[in-house]
């Protein structure tokens, strides 16, 4: 039978501590909160009262329930008042020695059955537990900010934590309406370990000038559905806070990917801490303001970069698959005349039929008029001859993801397409420069990576190898914006932006599971509930396909040779066993075949 927690203590009434007090009191539990002095105690009570009043104002809490909640909370400046509580949660500033002092003092004050929990986001629970006389009764209980709102609680076990203690704390979190996940004692636990490694890599991309801040953020928002881009999120968290978390992770793991990107220390030294200082990766209207204002790093809108742009009126599409069909539809709907080159007349007609079907759905939903449908279809002309692409201003190759096949297409295009036309490849993983090398006009070749389905997904990665002429990049950026897509610019290296940030994170999650650090369900829950991601890593891997994911991870590893990019053996074993995800009915999870 689970332990009953009738009375709990919270040490520290800052933003997190006050939020944790509110969570317990909302759950009907009597709470004793302790602060270092009366001024801090009064400020903590003000924070609690303001938070609960906001809940009332937003109709999230009844006025009578607020009064009852506040009545369950007593605030003290004396640790002795915690002598008879069932659980104490420490929420003091993130300094190991300070937290250790609190635990040592609690060990002398509290009864022998009291459980000790730390709200630390990155420090070692084991190191804190050994400062007490009861290390088997110490756990991490990492709430996320704001604690009354965020569902995730990471319950952290050490090698000596009593299983019953772990179970009792986990069930307590459930009773409070939270979604607890259990993990081992590793810096960053689940969410921060995966999140900050990804954020640090994004900072490194910015620091190396591989991609601009707006493009990095837009790529992850539009390409992965993330609620915020990595650099905007770093500004929100605070660069000093992020640096401390990464530094703590690195000191424990010695993993080079956890070593804070050097630019972080430079920015912190210069006082560029993010939103709270009014400037970080972005510039804000005022310290603490979320409003971003333009600065000298803000790029001009597409088409306004200055310099020459090439005229584009007629667009060619090579290929007849799902991606090619979607690309042809997008251009035709935006007013471009489109020539689709197919291997057979039947395949060409299949593209037209696919576009017609998509447009019919838009008409039925009231998103497109019948005349708009007919005008769009009239702009699409299928052909089986490369010669019919001769007059195109832009040709987009969308054939199979095979370098030899693509190079053959580019060789054929080079022979027939007029000089000055732009040749683009939709590759998601192959080197664009290899396609350019198959032509006598490498300066006219660029990557134009649409995301599937092309008719819906807003992001297009524009990939410029060292051979691409600047006016080609500028022209394709403007054309991409003209078809209602969001262009982002990057260099020609494996993964471009999205895959280069996404798949190392997915690989890290797989390695975490392989090490029995946490379960797949808990890791997925941590990233969804703690970081607001649309899917957890294992749910996403099963959707993408484990074989596809493995191929991308291998290409990233071969390009960068970073040890942490080497595909986790567990992923390789699942692929070898034929467990490829949803498409085979089995991956990291089993799915009911229909």
């Amino acid at each position: 039978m689970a332990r009953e927690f009738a009375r709990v203590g919270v040490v520290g009434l800052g933003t997190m501590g006050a939020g944790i007090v509110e969570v317990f009191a909302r759950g009907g539990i009597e709470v004793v909160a302790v602060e270092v002095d009366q001024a801090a105690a009064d400020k903590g009570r003000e924070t609690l009262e303001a938070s609960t009043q906001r809940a009332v104002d937003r109709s999230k809490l009844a006025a009578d329930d607020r009064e009852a909640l506040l009545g369950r909370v007593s605030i003290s400046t004396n640790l002795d008042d915690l002598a008879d509580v069932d659980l104490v949660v420490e929420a003091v500033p993130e300094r190991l020695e300070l937290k250790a002092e609190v635990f040592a003092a609690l060990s002398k004050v509290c009864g022998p059955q009291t459980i000790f929990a730390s709200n630390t986001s990155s420090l070692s629970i084991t190191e804190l537990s050994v400062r007490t006389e009861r290390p088997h009764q110490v756990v991490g209980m990492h709430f996320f900010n704001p604690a009354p709102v965020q569902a995730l609680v990471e319950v952290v076990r050490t090698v000596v934590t009593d299983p019953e203690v772990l179970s009792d704390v986990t069930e307590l979190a459930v009773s409070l309406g939270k979604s607890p996940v259990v993990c081992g004692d590793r810096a960053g636990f689940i969410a921060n370990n995966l999140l900050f490694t990804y954020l640090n890599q994004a900072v490194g991309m910015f620091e190396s000038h591989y991609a601009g801040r707006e493009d990095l953020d837009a790529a992850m928002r539009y390409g992965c559905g993330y609620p915020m881009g990595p650099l905007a999120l770093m500004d929100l968290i605070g660069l000093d806070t992020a640096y401390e978390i990464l530094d703590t992770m690195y000191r424990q793991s010695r993993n080079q990917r956890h070593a804070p990107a050097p630019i972080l220390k430079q920015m912190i030294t210069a006082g560029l801490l993010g939103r709270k200082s009014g400037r970080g990766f972005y510039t804000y209207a005022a310290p603490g303001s979320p409003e971003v204002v333009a600065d000298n790093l803000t790029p001009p809108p597409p088409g306004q970069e200055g310099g020459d742009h090439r005229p584009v009126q007629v667009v060619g599409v090579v290929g007849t698959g799902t991606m090619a069909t979607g690309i042809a539809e997008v251009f035709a709907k935006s007013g471009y005349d489109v020539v689709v080159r197919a291997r057979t007349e039947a395949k060409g007609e299949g593209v037209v039929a696919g576009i017609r079907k998509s447009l019919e759905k838009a008409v039925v939903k009231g998103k497109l008029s019948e005349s708009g449908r007919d005008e769009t279809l009239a702009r699409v002309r299928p052909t089986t001859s490369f010669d019919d692409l001769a007059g195109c201003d832009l040709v987009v190759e969308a054939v199979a993801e095979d370098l030899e096949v693509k190079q053959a297409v580019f060789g054929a295009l080079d022979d027939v397409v007029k000089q000055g036309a732009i040749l683009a490849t939709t590759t998601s993983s192959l080197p664009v420069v290899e396609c350019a090398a198959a032509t006598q006009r490498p300066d006219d070749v660029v990557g134009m990576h649409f995301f599937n389905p092309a008719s819906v997904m807003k992001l297009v990665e524009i990939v410029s190898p060292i051979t691409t002429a600047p006016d080609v990049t500028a022209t394709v950026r403007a054309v991409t914006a003209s078809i209602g897509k969001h262009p982002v610019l990057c260099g020609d290296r494996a993964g471009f932006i999205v895959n280069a940030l996404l798949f190392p994170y997915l690989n890290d999650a797989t390695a975490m599971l392989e090490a029995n650090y946490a379960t797949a369900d808990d890791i997925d829950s941590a990233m969804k509930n703690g970081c607001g991601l649309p899917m957890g890593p294992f749910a996403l891997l099963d959707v993408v396909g484990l074989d596809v994911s493995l191929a991308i991870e291998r290409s990233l590893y071969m390009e960068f040779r970073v040890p942490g990019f080497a595909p986790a053996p567990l992923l390789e074993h699942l692929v070898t066993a034929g467990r490829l995800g949803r498409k085979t009915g089995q991956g990291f999870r089993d799915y009911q075949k229909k």
Side-chain angles (χ1 to χ4, degrees):
M1 183 178 295
R3 183 187 314 215
E4 180 181 353
F5 293 90
R7 198 162 187 256
V8 304
V10 176
V11 181
L13 272 176
T15 301
M16 281 305 304
I20 294 168
V21 168
E22 182 178 339
V23 169
F24 283 125
R26 276 176 178 258
I29 298 173
E30 184 180 345
V31 186
V32 181
V34 178
E35 255 296 358
V36 65
D37 55 36
Q38 193 58 49
D42 292 342
K43 185 176 180 181
R45 180 171 288 280
E46 289 175 7
T47 301
L48 177 62
E49 291 176 348
S51 175
T52 52
Q53 186 58 53
R54 283 195 299 272
V56 172
D57 295 341
R58 295 170 181 170
S59 300
K60 302 291 186 180
L61 184 68
D64 289 346
D65 291 338
R66 174 179 183 263
E67 291 305 313
L69 183 159
L70 295 174
R72 287 190 284 271
V73 179
S74 60
I75 299 178
S76 168
T77 58
N78 191 344
L79 283 177
D80 290 343
D81 291 334
L82 300 174
D84 61 348
V85 298
D86 303 302
L87 166 74
V88 180
V89 178
E90 163 277 309
V92 302
E94 197 78 344
R95 298 198 303 273
L96 181 63
E97 283 308 314
L98 177 59
K99 292 178 181 289
E101 288 176 11
V102 169
F103 274 100
L106 290 172
S107 188
K108 294 180 172 59
V109 168
C110 297
Q113 299 305 312
T114 301
I115 295 173
F116 295 160
S118 173
N119 184 57
T120 181
S121 62
S122 60
L123 299 176
S124 169
I125 303 299
T126 303
E127 288 193 46
L128 295 175
S129 73
V130 297
R131 304 298 182 96
T132 75
E133 297 172 0
R134 59 189 84 175
H136 61 287
Q137 289 177 216
V138 178
V139 296
M141 199 173 186
H142 179 213
F143 290 81
F144 283 67
N145 191 32
V149 176
Q150 292 277 30
L152 182 66
V153 175
E154 290 177 319
V155 181
V156 186
R157 65 180 186 271
T158 73
V159 292
V160 296
T161 301
D162 187 325
E164 287 189 11
V165 168
L166 190 70
S167 175
D168 290 341
V169 172
T170 302
E171 290 191 33
L172 170 63
V174 172
S175 73
L176 295 171
K178 299 301 181 184
S179 298
V181 298
V182 177
C183 60
D185 184 20
R186 176 191 297 181
F189 311 135
I190 298 175
N192 282 352
N193 192 297
L194 294 175
L195 175 66
F196 279 91
T197 310
Y198 147 73
L199 295 178
N200 198 40
Q201 185 184 349
V203 173
M205 281 186 173
F206 172 79
E207 184 174 24
S208 67
H209 303 288
Y210 175 69
R213 63 188 183 187
E214 285 86 357
D215 286 348
L216 283 165
D217 282 352
M220 300 312 289
R221 289 195 299 115
Y222 294 123
C224 297
Y226 285 9
M228 293 184 75
L231 302 186
L233 182 54
M234 288 287 275
D235 275 357
L236 177 62
I237 293 168
L239 272 60
D240 50 346
T241 300
Y243 183 93
E244 289 300 324
I245 291 173
L246 283 165
D247 189 51
T248 300
M249 287 168 55
Y250 176 71
R251 282 189 276 110
Q252 287 194 29
S253 69
R254 292 296 186 265
N255 183 339
Q256 188 61 34
R257 294 172 61 224
H258 297 160
I263 195 174
L264 289 176
K265 191 62 175 286
Q266 297 171 35
M267 295 177 73
I268 293 166
T269 303
L272 310 180
L273 307 182
R275 281 194 193 182
K276 60 187 174 186
S277 68
R279 214 179 137 196
F281 288 103
Y282 294 90
T283 300
Y284 299 88
S289 170
E291 181 187 352
V292 175
V293 296
D295 58 22
N296 61 354
L297 293 181
T298 304
Q304 299 181 27
E305 302 92 338
D308 295 331
H309 285 73
R310 303 187 186 186
V312 176
Q313 294 180 320
V314 182
V315 176
V317 176
V318 181
T320 55
T322 302
M323 184 62 75
T325 302
I327 292 170
E329 177 186 342
V330 167
F331 276 107
K333 283 172 66 176
S334 300
Y336 291 91
D337 290 327
V338 181
V339 181
V340 179
R341 191 271 172 182
R343 285 180 294 175
T344 65
E345 289 185 6
K347 287 185 178 294
E349 291 302 325
V351 171
V352 176
I355 295 174
R356 181 181 290 108
K357 182 177 180 182
S358 175
L359 296 176
E360 289 287 0
K361 289 181 181 178
V363 171
V364 170
K365 294 178 180 178
K367 295 181 178 181
L368 183 69
S369 66
E370 291 186 359
S371 61
R373 173 200 61 199
D374 296 340
E375 290 169 5
T376 298
L377 287 169
R379 285 192 281 268
V380 181
R381 178 167 68 93
T383 180
T384 58
S385 173
F386 274 105
D387 292 340
D388 288 333
L389 300 172
C392 292
D393 305 302
L394 166 67
V395 180
V396 181
E397 165 275 308
V399 300
E401 195 74 348
D402 181 296
L403 183 58
E404 290 186 3
V405 173
K406 290 182 182 290
Q407 287 179 321
V409 168
F410 274 87
L413 293 173
D414 193 34
D415 291 338
V416 301
V417 178
K418 68 182 180 181
Q419 290 301 309
I422 297 171
L423 308 181
T425 174
T426 60
T427 181
S428 62
S429 59
L430 298 174
V432 176
V433 72
E434 296 277 8
C435 294
T439 74
Q440 298 301 311
R441 51 175 105 177
D443 53 329
D444 292 338
V445 178
V446 70
M448 202 173 180
H449 178 212
F450 287 80
F451 284 68
N452 195 31
S455 60
V456 175
M457 294 294 284
K458 196 171 179 65
L459 183 68
V460 176
E461 291 178 317
I462 299 172
V463 186
S464 301
I466 58 174
T467 53
T468 303
D471 67 321
V472 168
T473 300
T475 299
V476 173
R477 182 171 183 252
V479 168
T480 300
S482 76
I483 60 176
K485 302 300 183 183
H486 192 105
V488 298
L489 307 181
C490 62
D492 183 22
R493 69 186 199 193
F496 309 142
I497 296 175
V498 172
N499 284 352
L501 289 175
L502 176 63
F503 281 89
Y505 147 71
L506 297 176
N507 196 45
D508 289 342
T510 305
M512 191 177 276
L513 174 66
E514 187 172 41
N516 294 313
Y517 177 70
T519 67
D521 287 345
D522 280 353
I523 294 171
D524 274 0
S525 176
M527 300 314 292
K528 284 184 63 180
N529 295 317
C531 301
L533 304 190
M535 297 180 77
F538 301 110
L540 180 56
L541 281 162
D542 278 351
V543 168
V544 172
L546 272 59
D547 52 340
V548 174
S549 302
L550 178 59
I552 293 171
E553 290 179 11
R554 282 174 172 165
S555 70
L556 288 170
Y557 178 61
M558 291 306 295
E559 176 104 340
F560 298 104
R561 307 301 171 97
V562 175
F565 283 11
L570 175 59
L571 180 62
E572 295 184 317
H573 295 165
L574 288 170
V575 172
T576 301
R579 296 178 63 110
L580 307 183
R582 285 186 177 270
K583 60 188 174 185
T584 61
Q586 290 181 309
F588 283 98
R589 295 185 175 90
D590 290 340
Y591 302 91
Q592 184 67 43
K593 293 185 179 180
K594 295 182 179 179

